[in-house]
């Protein structure tokens, strides 16, 4: 089966073409084309992601990404693609200003290869951004005469962490029960997995997500968006050079003693704001504060995760989402955790799959497609946009 997957939930525009052999969870997924455009430089100017700007950029970038993914997959051929009804195509894309023109122009110069299934992120994410991807998926399905599987972005992050780690191009054969710690710009969640495809949320942030806290704290320190990588880089310098703590009251570890599995990051951000006050920070102070913040943020994640591991007798920990690119987090949850829990298996994504991408949407879409099909009821969007069984 050949899948074309689309991701536009936030500030990455991504399209992959993936050849699948077998059934989830033992299938192999060979990525033959993978195109990704990060809008980071555009959003930098605004210090964060604005949904309307993200939508505009997705509209501009989807057709170029389609072309790039097909080229990489050696599936791009000149010619022209038959469109049954250009009116229907324009109708499907009517809310995405300019996208129909770009697609029609593209189709007048190239043919599309056979695609069996389109998978597209349908949430969670920024609504205007999500819609661009969904409409584009429906438009392509109209031309290719295939189905569309609406795909959950967070399931994508979970499966991305298991992909190509122990099995070449496959998902690691994990032991259950498993726990997923999802840490991204929009989410901080603990998900209990009794088996493949079952997800039960057992903890989440009560306010800001941990990635959002990295971004906001970076902004308070005058560092560029996205703040996570920059804070991580500076925190590592502070640890290497053994900088003393940032002067003032030590940062709190929010919720660490609470009886539940929830998180909170708004208070930590406010504590950083209060520490900075109206001071002009030196480079050393920025580095020290980055480390102190990172220590507090990761310690809260760690405490609740260990609590869930012990309570639910977890055998596998899966960490996914953009913040899983953080080196200190990786070290804490591997060397650190294995010291007290030597039997637990820990999975982290390859670095290029830790932040948003479309490979993970192929994996999660296929999981959804196969599990629903074996259960006898596959819900997917047909080319005319209706959900069908
Ligand atoms: O999963 P993702 O790419 O997008 C969402 O679904 O939100 O996560 C983006 C988040 C941003 O907040 C970014 O600052 C954070 O991941 N991030 C990091 C690192 N790389 C990305 N946070 C800490 N350390 C990093 N190295
Ligand atoms: Zn994400």
């Amino acid at each position: 089966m050949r899948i074309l997957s689309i991701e536009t939930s936030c500030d990455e525009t991504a399209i992959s073409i993936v050849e699948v052999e077998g059934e989830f969870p033992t299938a192999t997924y060979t990525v033959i084309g993978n195109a990704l455009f990060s809008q980071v430089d555009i959003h930098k100017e605004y210090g964060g992601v604005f949904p309307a700007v993200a939508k505009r950029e997705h509209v501009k970038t989807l057709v170029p990404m389609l072309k790039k993914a097909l080229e990489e997959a050696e599936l791009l051929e000149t010619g022209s693609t038959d469109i049954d009804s250009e009116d229907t195509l324009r109708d499907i894309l009517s809310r995405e200003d300019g996208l129909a023109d770009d697609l029609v122009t593209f189709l007048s110069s190239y043919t599309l290869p056979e695609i069996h299934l389109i998978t597209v992120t349908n949430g969670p994410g920024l609504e205007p951004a999500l819609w661009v991807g969904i409409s584009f998926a429906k438009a392509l399905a109209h031309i290719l005469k295939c189905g569309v599987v609406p795909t959950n972005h967070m399931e994508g992050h979970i499966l991305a962490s298991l992909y190509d780690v122990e099995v070449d191009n496959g998902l690691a054969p994990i032991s259950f029960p498993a726990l997923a710690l999802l840490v991204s710009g929009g989410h901080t969640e603990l998900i209990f997995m009794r088996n493949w495809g079952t997800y039960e949320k057992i903890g989440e942030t009560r306010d800001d997500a941990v990635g959002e806290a990295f971004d906001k704290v970076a902004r308070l320190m005058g560092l560029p968006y996205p703040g996570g990588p920059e804070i991580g880089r500076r925190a590592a310098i502070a640890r290497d050079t053994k900088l003393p703590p940032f002067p003032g009251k030590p940062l709190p570890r929010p919720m660490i003693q609470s009886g539940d599995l929830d998180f909170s990051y708004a208070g930590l951000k406010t504590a950083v704001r209060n520490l900075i006050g109206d001071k002009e920070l030196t480079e050393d102070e920025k580095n020290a504060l980055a480390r102190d913040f990172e220590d507090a943020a990761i310690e809260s994640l760690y405490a609740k995760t260990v609590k869930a591991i012990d309570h639910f007798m977890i055998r596998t920990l899966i960490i996914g989402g953009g913040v899983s690119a953080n080196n200190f987090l990786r070290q804490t949850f591997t060397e650190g955790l294995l010291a007290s829990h030597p039997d637990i298996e820990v999975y982290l994504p390859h670095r290029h799959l830790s932040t948003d991408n479309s490979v993970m949407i192929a994996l999660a879409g296929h999981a959804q497609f196969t599990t629903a099909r074996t259960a006898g009821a596959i819900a997917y969007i047909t080319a005319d946009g209706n959900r069908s069984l």
Side-chain angles (χ1 to χ4, degrees):
M1 171 188 273
R2 188 185 284 156
I3 292 181
L4 185 150
S5 58
I6 303 171
E7 157 64 37
T8 65
S9 68
C10 189
D11 58 351
E12 259 88 32
T13 317
I15 296 191
S16 307
I17 299 172
V18 177
E19 301 264 1
V20 186
E21 255 181 71
E23 300 280 305
F24 173 82
T26 52
T28 57
Y29 302 90
T30 311
V31 180
I32 58 172
N34 189 20
L36 183 145
F37 175 76
S38 170
Q39 304 174 359
V40 157
D41 287 339
I42 294 144
H43 296 296
K44 252 187 191 139
E45 280 177 38
Y46 305 91
V49 182
F50 276 90
V53 177
K55 174 188 160 113
R56 185 191 71 201
E57 294 303 316
H58 288 310
V59 166
K60 269 208 295 211
T61 317
L62 271 171
V63 171
M65 288 302 105
L66 174 66
K67 182 168 181 229
K68 197 166 168 216
L70 290 171
E71 241 166 6
E72 201 178 299
E74 297 183 3
L75 292 171
L76 189 68
E77 287 185 16
T78 49
S80 73
T81 305
D82 267 351
I83 312 172
D84 262 3
S85 154
E86 193 177 314
D87 284 350
T88 311
L89 192 72
R90 289 189 177 277
D91 206 34
I92 296 171
L93 293 172
S94 60
R95 288 190 298 186
E96 325 302 342
D97 216 12
L99 188 52
D101 287 342
D102 289 358
L103 185 57
V104 168
T105 308
F106 175 78
L107 295 172
S108 65
S109 311
Y110 298 100
T111 59
L112 288 184
E114 190 176 17
I115 299 286
H116 304 104
L117 192 69
I118 295 177
T119 63
V120 60
T121 307
N122 79 327
L126 305 171
E127 198 166 320
L130 287 164
W131 271 116
V132 187
I134 294 168
S135 303
F136 194 60
K138 287 187 197 165
L140 290 179
H142 171 71
I143 303 157
L144 292 161
K145 300 187 176 26
C146 66
V148 178
V149 175
T151 301
N152 184 288
H153 183 86
M154 305 317 285
E155 183 174 16
H157 277 305
I158 293 176
L159 297 182
S161 302
L162 302 177
Y163 175 61
D164 199 25
V165 185
E166 278 182 10
V167 180
D168 278 353
N169 292 337
L171 299 174
I174 58 172
S175 317
F176 291 95
L179 178 73
L181 169 66
L182 296 176
V183 281
S184 71
H187 293 80
T188 308
E189 293 178 343
L190 283 168
I191 308 284
F192 178 67
M193 293 172 66
R194 204 173 292 282
N195 214 323
W196 287 108
T198 68
Y199 305 105
E200 192 185 323
K201 198 189 293 174
I202 54 172
E204 66 186 320
T205 182
R206 299 219 177 143
D207 40 58
D208 292 353
V210 61
E212 189 180 353
F214 270 87
D215 296 338
K216 286 180 174 169
V217 163
R219 202 168 165 185
L220 290 171
M221 290 200 272
L223 307 176
Y225 174 86
E230 186 62 15
I231 295 225
R233 194 182 67 76
R234 286 176 175 271
I237 297 174
R239 281 191 199 94
D240 286 350
T241 55
K242 302 197 168 40
L243 284 180
F246 189 84
K249 213 170 152 205
L251 291 173
R253 270 63 177 156
M255 309 271 297
I256 211 160
Q257 301 297 351
S258 72
D260 53 32
L261 295 171
D262 286 344
F263 306 93
S264 162
Y265 282 100
L268 179 55
K269 172 199 65 194
T270 307
V272 172
R273 177 184 289 131
N274 292 340
L275 272 187
I276 299 176
D278 48 18
K279 281 201 252 337
E280 274 291 322
L281 301 183
T282 64
E283 290 304 302
D284 271 0
E285 282 172 337
K286 284 183 187 170
N287 295 345
L289 189 53
R291 179 211 42 213
D292 297 352
F293 163 76
E294 196 179 72
D295 279 345
I298 307 291
E299 197 178 317
S300 312
L301 288 179
Y302 189 73
K304 290 298 170 82
T305 306
V306 168
K307 191 170 180 177
I309 288 172
D310 292 340
H311 183 79
F312 290 95
M313 295 198 280
I314 294 297
R315 299 173 66 192
T316 304
L317 174 66
I318 304 162
I319 307 177
V323 184
S324 70
N326 182 273
N327 280 331
F328 185 62
L329 177 146
R330 284 180 173 246
Q331 200 188 338
T332 307
F333 280 93
T334 48
E335 289 156 43
L337 180 63
L338 290 173
S340 59
H341 295 70
D343 295 332
I344 199 157
E345 301 165 28
V346 180
Y347 291 93
L348 285 151
H350 284 297
R351 274 177 202 279
H352 71 285
L353 295 180
S354 57
T355 46
D356 290 349
N357 62 84
S358 47
V359 172
M360 69 188 211
I361 301 309
L363 302 174
H366 181 251
Q368 157 82 17
F369 178 72
T370 21
T371 47
R373 201 176 51 182
T374 25
I378 168 73
Y380 67 99
I381 308 171
T382 55
D384 60 7
N386 294 322
R387 266 173 175 266
S388 74
L389 285 183

